Amino acid sequence: MTGRTATRSLEIAVTSATGAATARAGGADRVELCSALELGGLTPSQGLVEAAVATGIPVHVLVRCRPGGFVHAPDEIDLMERELVAVLRSGATGVVVGALRPDRTLDADTLTRFVAAARTERPDAEVTLHRAIDHAADPVAAAAGLAHLGFTRVLTSGGAPTALAGADTIARMVTAAGPVQVMAGAGVTPADVPVLLATGAAAVHLSAKRLADTAHRGVPMGAGDAGSGHFETDAEVVRAARAAVDRHRG
């Protein structure tokens, strides 16, 4: 960690080493590193993990092999286990994983496997359940089982489109989760931080992103490409979020 306590922490979702450095300079406690943020985030490359780790901020890496839902085939589970081991070997201090069953309950067998693989590779690895929990039939009940599975924390919007809209459910999840830290995230702005921390959440998570001026014109590069550029981390938003978290601590 950066010297701040484990509670009331600030996590910034980033997609580049530059973003990680910006988050560190702005006072973030850690980053969640991914690629394809516009798809909800996918596993980043080994080179990107190593570059982000080199900035000096604790890096937690999203391990998600494809966009779409969270019910995974055996080959996808095998792949994600390999990926989580690889990112920890590349210097990540934590991993962010998730999986559901077709009935929208947590896939406890797969999650137990992920946690075991992470702690075998790095005994002090922090393991976060990602927003698959927001797609669970009962996010509060799902949160209640996370300590038994060995998770460090859970990222959630309380099953709502934004964390602010799901604040009441997040408060219930905090109670249900026991020792597992609940981190509020999805559509979060610095102005939302006081309300979200008032739920009892141990952390807030935001992308603090702005559109980079790298748009291209002409031939599309893929199905979702409108030539609109990509996102980068906004230093001012990170600083504002840090200040909001610190003010809440009083």
Side-chain angles (χ1 to χ4, degrees):
M1 301 294 290
T2 60
R4 303 180 190 277
T5 61
T7 59
R8 305 305 188 197
S9 59
L10 174 65
E11 179 177 285
I12 303 295
V14 303
T15 59
S16 68
T18 299
T22 299
R24 182 173 187 259
D29 294 286
R30 61 182 172 270
V31 296
E32 180 194 54
L33 181 69
C34 67
S35 63
L37 189 60
E38 67 279 4
L39 298 177
L42 299 174
T43 309
S45 70
Q46 179 182 346
L48 177 51
V49 175
E50 292 172 353
V53 167
T55 68
I57 193 169
V59 176
H60 292 189
V61 177
L62 177 65
V63 177
R64 183 179 178 221
C65 65
R66 58 157 173 77
F70 302 105
V71 178
H72 291 288
D75 64 321
E76 293 175 333
I77 294 167
D78 291 345
L79 172 60
M80 288 188 288
E81 182 177 7
R82 287 174 177 268
E83 288 179 330
L84 75 84
V85 169
V87 301
L88 290 169
R89 288 179 179 174
S90 294
T93 58
V95 291
V96 184
V97 298
L100 296 177
R101 295 191 182 101
D103 65 359
R104 295 173 58 209
T105 60
L106 294 182
D107 185 344
D109 291 341
T110 295
L111 297 177
T112 298
R113 178 176 167 182
F114 287 165
V115 172
R119 299 270 164 69
T120 298
E121 181 60 36
R122 180 169 180 154
D124 64 346
E126 296 188 25
V127 186
T128 299
L129 179 70
H130 60 48
R131 290 188 60 217
I133 198 167
D134 293 324
H135 295 259
D138 186 342
V140 177
L146 295 180
H148 176 72
L149 294 174
F151 279 89
T152 308
R153 68 178 57 83
V154 56
L155 171 63
T156 182
S157 65
T162 68
L164 191 62
D168 289 344
T169 300
I170 291 172
R172 293 168 57 213
M173 293 174 73
V174 169
T175 300
V180 176
Q181 297 176 26
V182 175
M183 180 165 57
V188 174
T189 70
D192 301 330
V193 169
V195 173
L196 297 176
L197 292 183
T199 66
V204 291
H205 166 106
L206 60 159
S207 58
K209 64 181 182 292
R210 64 183 178 193
L211 192 63
D213 187 20
T214 57
H216 65 79
R217 299 291 182 266
V219 180
M221 300 299 291
D225 177 33
S228 57
H230 69 279
F231 293 109
E232 62 185 9
T233 306
D234 189 321
E236 292 185 8
V237 176
V238 176
R239 288 194 294 269
R242 176 79 264 167
V245 171
D246 290 343
R247 282 195 299 271
H248 187 84
R249 286 180 182 158

